[in-house]
Amino acid sequence: MGRKVTLATCSLNQWALDFQGNLSRVLKSIEVAKSKGARYRLGPELEICGYGCADHFYESDTLLHSLQVLKELMQSPITTDIICDCHRCMDEAILLIRPKMLLANYGNNREFRWFSPWTQPRHVEDYFLPRMIQEATVPFGDCVLSTIDTCLGSEICAEMWNPRSPHIDMGLDGVEIFTNSSASYHELRKAEQRVMLVRSATNKSGGIYLFANQKGCDGDRLYYDGCAMIAINGEIVAQGAQFTMDDVEVLVATLDLEDIRSYRGERCHPHMVYEPKHYHRVKVDFMLSVGEDVSLPTNQPIRWRFHTPEEEISLGPACWLWDYLRRSGQAGFLLPLSGGVDSSSTACIVYSMCVLLCQAIRDDNHQVLEDVQRVVGDTSYRPEDPQELCGHLFTTCYMATENSSESTYSRARELASQIGSYHINLNIDMAVKGILGIFSMVMGKVPQFRVNGGCARENLALQNIQARVRMVLAYLFAQLSLWARGRPGGLLVLGSANVDESLTGYFTKYDCSSADINPIGGISKTDLKSFLQFCTDHFHLPALRRSAPPTAELEPLANGQVSQTDEADMGMTYSELSLIGRLRKISKCGPYSMFCKLIHTWGESCSPSQVAAKVKHFFRMYSVNRHKMTTVTPSYHAENYSPDDNRFDLRPFLYNTRWSWQFRCIDDQLLLPPLNGSLNVANLVDL
């Protein structure tokens, strides 16, 4: 009797509602799994229709086409002699349907909007399948699959993150192999949590754990970052890529069931089973092991290699941009490149994309080569190096005014030269003066900058018109620059506002932060600065060594030098903003509770009254500018304190910006006598 099993899991770059493409990738993964000897194959969550269908889940067409794809899968000769975990089917038969019991309804997930959880633990019903699939009933509910040689149980995506994960009870009831079909999206520093959860699932009570995930951009702001893995008894034995240009990645491992049984023999005992009702076992006349397997080697534990945050920024948004570009039908990107941290970071991400594409082509990825040739409009094209490819796909544009400095001009030019982008230098003063001339002709007044005697309203309006002219010109050049160069197609405009600027609204509404997509909109300024340091050495870009304080360069220069900086305009540093953003979103702090936390965190550098002033200033800026988030450019989601108004951070956009009650609570706290030299923040105001 064989005791070794060969199992496969995968990461697939599925696309919402791309039923034909999704079917092809599912079949490819099954074909690869079988070629490597696997007799069980696990796929990601909602792999047939794609996870990101959103309100298309309401449409009957989505269900109909999903069933049609499922039928083709069942009838394909590729799916014979293997259990395929889409809905647990093999040899033209569905074995069981295990519904999701714990839905994800936090962060970017809104599963309760479209689905209902199965709320009856251990309960199983007979489900009448649609006649187009097969005229039969199938077990539907909280059950497990029992083969001749072992027992498998499923949990789905968010169920692994729950304090009462199904694998706990399944393991105590004798299930040896746990599977997880996920659609888990990327956030910086999240991969380690995911790996820890998979390891812990089998560390306490033994077993094999297979994790499958989507990868890529399936149609919105999220990037699903793969990381398929296989673990046994708390040890990872197979690791999939987190970021890759491969649409299909299959992970296969051969493991010994006796290793689970001996592990449990020491650690698990009958008295530990606290659930009296056993799981219903759906029995199938099939073996995951083969006959004589003594000579079959098993996978051994490996050490997981995690990417640094800087590597994650260079890889995740780059893969997301490529998926968006090749699926949008456009011919490349255009970026207003100012030479500052934000636009330089976006440029480096596009260059990283070109590096990944060239590496994939060198590795004989035919799909990538075909996509590159289609995007550039040349079926014979083969890129020589990343710089040469960048020249085909990427246009950068420095839009100078009389307020621009020589240093930003030269940084933008040098960076464009080093990454190989097609670079345009232009001056927009004529357009700005033309628009102001229209205003002056109609209203009879000429606005002035503050340094020339103008008021705050004049000063702000003169800054905004420069920024908005840049947006108009960016779209004009995106539509017609390839036409002027004799090439087909148009360009996608890239934005470069970071997450901290979005949080405070420190950008002009409908300026060049308004774009088609923004790869850094979910990344903090602090992380972007570290990312540029990484790019300097990793990509050999010496232009990035020339740094300067972040500035919008919208006010007149002082003796040829920049007189305006972002942090001075905002009234706080980017590191302070990053902490405030985390307290607002992750710690769920309003003004008062944020003040109570920060007087300790900032106690060595700020007095309580200074902390109060910073908190009040932030909430005034945030509430005055929140309306800007309703029109913000779709951004790559990378931070769990993102203020994205689309579905991640749902807030009003019309506030009482005085915050009178909340700020009075802070003022009352400042009047209380200190305890041991600090404010008595334990005496919370009785509301």
Side-chain angles (χ1 to χ4, degrees), residues 4-168:
K4 295 177 182 177
V5 293
T6 300
L7 310 168
T9 184
C10 62
S11 293
L12 303 182
N13 195 333
Q14 303 298 73
W15 188 10
L17 303 178
D18 179 24
F19 294 99
Q20 187 62 54
N22 292 348
L23 171 62
S24 299
R25 288 181 283 272
V26 171
L27 286 172
K28 178 66 175 177
S29 69
I30 298 170
E31 186 177 27
V32 172
K34 288 180 66 176
S35 71
K36 295 183 178 181
R39 293 174 63 78
Y40 172 88
R41 173 266 182 201
L42 176 69
E45 185 177 18
L46 292 170
E47 61 181 321
I48 289 177
C49 60
Y51 183 82
C53 293
D55 281 359
H56 289 288
F57 284 124
Y58 290 132
E59 299 171 3
S60 60
D61 279 10
T62 303
L63 176 60
L64 170 64
H65 300 325
S66 296
L67 291 172
Q68 290 169 337
V69 170
L70 181 59
K71 181 178 180 179
E72 288 209 24
L73 282 170
M74 294 169 61
Q75 294 177 344
S76 171
I78 295 175
T79 60
T80 58
D81 299 321
I82 187 171
I83 296 177
C84 300
D85 204 329
C86 301
H87 282 292
R88 289 281 169 80
C89 57
M90 65 169 291
D91 292 345
E92 298 190 34
I94 293 179
L95 302 175
L96 66 90
I97 299 175
R98 195 280 191 179
K100 196 169 185 177
M101 302 179 69
L102 300 167
L103 300 183
N105 209 51
Y106 47 84
N108 283 289
N109 302 114
R110 294 289 180 270
E111 292 180 2
F112 273 101
R113 180 177 175 90
W114 308 296
F115 306 108
S116 297
W118 183 256
T119 57
Q120 303 177 72
R122 311 293 196 282
H123 182 72
V124 179
E125 298 178 359
D126 286 332
Y127 175 73
F128 285 88
L129 293 167
R131 284 176 294 177
M132 64 182 294
I133 299 296
Q134 64 189 58
E135 294 192 17
T137 60
V138 64
F140 184 108
D142 186 19
C143 52
V144 297
L145 189 67
S146 181
T147 64
I148 295 173
D149 48 359
T150 187
C151 188
L152 300 91
S154 292
E155 56 187 16
I156 305 172
C157 199
E159 293 176 343
M160 179 179 70
W161 301 74
N162 192 274
R164 184 71 183 270
S165 297
H167 70 258
I168 298 172

Side-chain angles (χ1 to χ4, degrees), residues 50 130 138 168 194 211 230 299 322 329 339 350 377 395 405 413 423 455 470 473 496 500 539 556 609 643 654 676-677:
V138 64
I168 298 172
R194 198 184 286 140
F211 177 85
I230 302 175
N299 288 58
W322 176 239
V350 176
T395 297
S405 66
R413 183 190 60 210
H423 190 60
C455 67
R470 287 181 173 132
L473 287 173
S496 296
D500 298 319
F539 294 131
S609 60
L654 177 63
N676 300 323

Side-chain angles (χ1 to χ4, degrees), residues 589-624:
C589 288
Y592 178 73
S593 54
M594 184 180 293
F595 164 76
C596 292
K597 290 180 182 293
L598 287 177
I599 57 173
H600 299 292
T601 306
W602 291 345
E604 294 184 1
S605 58
C606 296
S607 67
S609 60
Q610 290 174 321
V611 173
K614 286 181 181 289
V615 170
K616 291 177 181 179
H617 178 62
F618 165 76
F619 274 97
R620 287 193 193 100
M621 282 199 305
Y622 162 77
S623 56
V624 165

Side-chain angles (χ1 to χ4, degrees), residues 359-416:
Q359 183 59 54
I361 291 171
R362 285 194 295 271
D363 293 339
D364 293 325
N365 188 319
H366 300 293
Q367 183 62 58
V368 168
L369 179 59
E370 289 176 12
D371 288 338
V372 167
Q373 291 172 340
R374 178 171 45 80
V375 169
V376 302
D378 183 354
T379 56
S380 64
Y381 174 70
R382 190 179 183 93
E384 298 176 2
D385 55 55
Q387 286 87 354
E388 190 261 344
L389 177 59
C390 200
H392 280 80
L393 298 180
F394 193 29
T395 297
T396 51
C397 184
Y398 183 82
M399 303 187 211
T401 69
E402 58 189 5
N403 303 318
S404 302
S405 66
E406 173 61 30
S407 60
T408 56
Y409 166 78
S410 58
R411 277 202 305 273
R413 183 190 60 210
E414 290 175 19
L415 179 58

